[in-house]
Amino acid sequence: MTFPMLQKSLHKRRGSAGAEIRRWLWKSILPASILAFWALATRFHWVDRKIWASPAQVWQATLGLNRDGFLWLALGESLLRDLAGFLLGAAAGLAAGGVLGWSPWAYRLGAPTLHFLKAIAIFAWIPLLTMVFGIGEASKIVFIALAAFYPAALNTLEGIRSVPKSQLELARAYRLDPWQRLRKVILPSALPSILTGVQVALILTWLATVGVEYFMSAGPSVGGILLNGAESFHLEIVFIGIILLGSVGFALNQGAHALGRRLLRHRPQTLKA
Amino acid sequence: MPWAGGFSAIDRKPLKPEVDIMTTKGILEIRNLGKAFPANGRKGSLQALDGINLSIRPGEFVSIVGGSGCGKSTLLRLISGLDDEFQGEISIGGAPVRGTSLDRGIVFQDLRLLPWLTAEANIALALENSGLSKADKRQAVAEHLKLVGLEKFAQAYPHQLSGGMSQRVAIARGLVNRPGLLLLDEPFGALDALTRSRLQAELERIWREEGITMILVTHDVEEAVFLGDRVIVMEPGPGRIRRELRIPLPRPRRRSDPRFLEIKEDILREFTGPETAEAESLEPAGRPLAEARLDWAA
């Protein structure tokens, strides 16, 4: 297709390389300032040097800790655990939200319970989980899955219930059967909300992963690094854990946004969400 | 602008042999039709339509005109089968209307193009249960895009189309099943005056070529007179037919024709009295472009 008007809107204008670099510089002002302040604060002893490590010390500790690729191993462990819990919880959440959104009967039956359970902080489940699943990997993964379950279920439910009546009526006018209605109208209409749920689930499972590793000591892992650093009063190790935690969370968030933009690229009105 | 101007007639081969010719081509009979909505928060109900009697023969173009709240859109919904709760009878060729049918196309006031589908896919949605083969569906969609002059915009998404183009996609979707009856609910209400008059002319040509029965609901008297073989004037509280008149003018009609103007004035007097007959639109408050439509007064 060669249509100037269409092409203009199909291919969004990309900024020049110069503009890209400027944007990138702008974004790094604050992190760079914090790093600089940290370096100065430790260099001139504005903070207690017995507790606070300098950026250089953290960097040295990172190299030391990673001599045998330990950091990669720990990161891999955590990500794998996160992925397992995320897949389990998001799948269950999508299914539960789908059923509750689809059937008014299921909604009346299940929605109050879901809203009650949602109000319970997930860390409150740890004692119960360890009683049922022990203190091994199963407990941790179920805990992480719980973190993914609620946002996935609630956003799916909300997305399906807020499909405009006019679109459902359109489905009726063209005599779509329930399956066609789901595939052609309800799911695409609910997609932005479902994606938001998945995105939130992705962020929360990462926090839950590190949290559960910290509370249920999990060997080499990001949470394990935090725990070790804290227990041995090696703050530089704690910093390594924090930086890993933040970087992965940031990357997951960016990735989820990029995926969302890609899936919703034909809907300019929902892109900003 | 991509105004393609022309349209092409479609070779009307019988795509749906299983549909009984009596029901597609039969007379639409509305007998003593009434519709009540439960009133909010109070006992009793709101009578939206009362004692509607109307018969429409195959191939006729009927305009239904009236102000807000006269039940004209409700009447269209009942004919479409989207709403099954009413008193009285609606039948086509003797068969009572129950539920929606692909043989009764509808073009909604708010278009209802699905934003995640291309123009082509939006039209194809209407064919999901047509029983056509994949190839026939593709062909039918292509033909109807051509009919409304949008064949080059098959792959465009609704947000890339102008208001007039979106409206044409909606009309193509209403027509693609080759319905015997097409219901149009204020289809041009949100368009600018120029696009509006173009699409009215285009709709008239499609109607003549395709031989489809069309019922157009509008609050624009000029539009009703321009397109209708007959104009049904409705009044509110409860919605009833106030007057019915034939438009004996030859087609295509000219808006500046003195007889055209005379009929228009005559109908407007039903609503407003002679001193305000030039008000043109029956829904003055809050309608976009209500003033723009005045441009046409010859």
Side-chain angles (χ1 to χ4, degrees):
Chain A
M1 289 274 334
T2 49
F3 248 83
M5 183 201 128
L6 281 185
Q7 288 200 334
K8 211 190 279 171
S9 54
L10 286 177
H11 304 284
K12 248 192 247 145
R13 262 190 305 158
R14 296 243 163 228
S16 64
E20 195 68 35
I21 291 169
R22 259 201 305 285
R23 246 200 311 279
W24 192 83
L25 281 176
W26 190 248
K27 281 182 201 166
S28 41
I29 287 176
L30 195 56
S33 312
I34 291 171
L35 192 68
F37 181 75
W38 178 16
L40 289 172
T42 46
R43 173 74 182 76
F44 295 109
H45 296 269
W46 301 341
V47 290
D48 186 351
R49 290 286 284 129
K50 277 197 229 73
I51 301 173
W52 284 83
S54 70
Q57 281 174 306
V58 171
W59 179 243
Q60 283 305 321
T62 306
L63 294 179
L65 206 55
N66 200 31
R67 197 165 297 134
D68 307 315
F70 173 80
L71 286 182
W72 296 118
L73 176 76
L75 193 60
E77 282 279 308
S78 291
L79 283 176
L80 206 63
R81 188 172 287 130
D82 181 12
L83 183 70
F86 169 76
L87 289 180
L88 190 70
L94 290 180
V99 169
L100 261 56
W102 176 250
S103 149
W105 185 81
Y107 181 81
R108 278 197 296 278
L109 190 76
T113 309
L114 184 68
H115 283 286
F116 174 77
L117 292 176
K118 173 195 77 171
I120 300 168
I122 55 167
F123 282 94
W125 292 109
I126 288 186
L128 210 61
L129 286 177
T130 49
M131 263 163 59
V132 178
F133 298 102
I135 53 162
E137 203 54 40
S139 263
K140 297 191 184 78
I141 288 177
V142 171
F143 175 80
I144 297 165
L146 267 177
F149 177 81
Y150 295 114
L154 291 168
N155 281 283
T156 303
L157 169 63
E158 206 42 56
I160 292 178
R161 283 180 65 85
S162 48
V163 174
K165 243 180 111 182
S166 63
Q167 290 177 353
L168 295 175
E169 211 172 73
L170 191 70
R172 212 141 54 81
Y174 295 119
R175 306 194 65 80
L176 302 188
D177 62 37
W179 173 239
Q180 290 169 327
R181 195 161 69 223
L182 184 69
R183 217 159 34 91
K184 298 274 174 180
V185 179
I186 294 175
L187 281 185
S189 184
L191 188 64
S193 181
I194 294 173
L195 282 177
T196 302
V198 170
Q199 207 167 308
V200 172
L202 202 58
I203 307 305
L204 289 185
T205 50
W206 177 241
L207 297 180
T209 302
V210 177
V212 79
E213 286 166 352
Y214 189 88
F215 285 113
M216 295 173 65
S217 51
S221 59
V222 175
I225 291 172
L226 281 168
L227 185 63
N228 269 326
E231 282 183 341
S232 60
F233 287 100
H234 278 291
L235 211 63
E236 67 273 23
I237 307 268
V238 173
F239 272 121
I240 295 173
I242 289 173
I243 291 167
L244 274 179
L245 172 56
S247 309
V248 171
F250 182 74
L252 286 175
N253 197 25
Q254 295 294 99
H257 270 292
L259 181 73
R261 271 198 303 275
R262 184 158 169 71
L263 285 171
L264 301 175
R265 64 193 177 282
H266 301 308
R267 295 188 241 185
Q269 70 276 30
T270 48
L271 280 185
K272 276 143 208 137
Chain B
M1 258 315 275
W3 163 249
F7 78 104
S8 48
I10 289 177
D11 178 21
R12 269 185 87 81
K13 61 182 175 196
L15 279 173
K16 291 180 291 177
E18 77 276 13
V19 175
D20 184 357
I21 202 77
M22 277 308 287
T23 58
T24 57
K25 285 295 175 192
I27 292 176
L28 169 68
E29 286 279 4
I30 295 171
R31 286 280 153 268
N32 212 9
L33 182 70
K35 168 73 184 174
F37 289 107
N40 272 348
R42 272 176 299 147
K43 277 189 178 169
S45 59
L46 188 77
Q47 197 71 25
L49 288 173
D50 188 33
I52 304 283
N53 287 293
L54 190 60
S55 68
I56 296 174
R57 60 179 169 71
E60 195 176 6
F61 198 123
V62 173
S63 303
I64 299 175
V65 69
S68 305
C70 71
K72 56 192 193 297
S73 290
T74 304
L75 176 58
L76 211 64
R77 284 176 61 82
L78 296 184
I79 298 171
S80 77
L82 281 169
D83 189 342
D84 268 344
E85 302 204 341
F86 55 81
Q87 301 92 51
E89 282 169 45
I90 305 175
S91 64
I92 297 178
V97 164
R98 276 282 172 269
T100 56
S101 158
L102 294 183
D103 197 45
R104 272 170 278 130
I106 183 160
V107 178
F108 294 98
Q109 189 174 2
D110 53 356
L111 305 192
R112 306 192 185 182
L113 299 182
L114 299 178
W116 55 88
L117 297 179
T118 59
E120 195 174 59
N122 262 295
I123 297 172
L125 184 74
L127 291 172
E128 279 288 314
N129 292 319
S130 60
L132 298 182
S133 72
K134 261 208 167 97
D136 284 346
K137 278 183 194 169
R138 244 198 319 275
Q139 196 192 342
V141 170
E143 279 171 351
H144 284 82
L145 273 167
K146 204 170 169 212
L147 181 75
V148 295
L150 285 178
E151 62 269 45
K152 284 169 180 160
F153 290 85
Q155 302 300 325
Y157 285 88
H159 73 91
Q160 297 169 319
L161 299 171
S162 68
M165 288 156 87
S166 299
Q167 190 57 67
R168 286 190 221 167
V169 175
I171 289 173
R173 185 176 62 185
L175 287 168
V176 73
N177 274 302
R178 307 285 177 83
L181 173 63
L182 184 67
L183 306 165
L184 300 127
D185 188 3
E186 303 203 25
F188 309 132
L191 299 177
D192 65 273
L194 225 69
T195 313
R196 198 175 156 88
S197 68
R198 265 181 193 158
L199 280 183
Q200 286 166 351
E202 198 172 344
L203 183 69
E204 189 192 30
R205 279 182 305 209
I206 291 171
W207 168 72
R208 277 192 304 187
E209 288 290 328
E210 302 276 302
I212 291 173
T213 314
M214 290 194 184
I215 303 177
L216 170 84
V217 157
T218 181
H219 63 263
D220 181 343
V221 173
E222 187 171 277
E223 179 170 278
V225 176
F226 183 76
L227 288 167
D229 291 325
R230 243 189 316 160
V231 174
I232 312 289
V233 181
M234 289 186 68
E235 63 182 8
R240 294 175 199 271
I241 293 177
R242 182 189 184 105
R243 193 173 154 196
E244 231 186 284
L245 65 162
R246 279 195 183 283
I247 312 295
L249 305 177
R251 292 173 188 269
R253 291 168 183 161
R254 285 177 47 240
R255 297 171 214 273
S256 54
D257 183 336
R259 286 173 301 167
F260 185 98
L261 291 171
E262 201 178 310
I263 294 168
K264 197 177 92 182
E265 294 289 307
D266 181 24
I267 296 173
L268 276 169
R269 265 192 295 278
E270 293 287 346
F271 300 95
T272 55
E275 69 281 359
T276 51
E278 70 274 16
E280 192 87 12
S281 170
L282 304 176
E283 278 176 42
R287 299 297 302 195
L289 301 165
E291 306 80 27
R293 237 169 284 139
L294 289 172
D295 296 349
W296 286 347

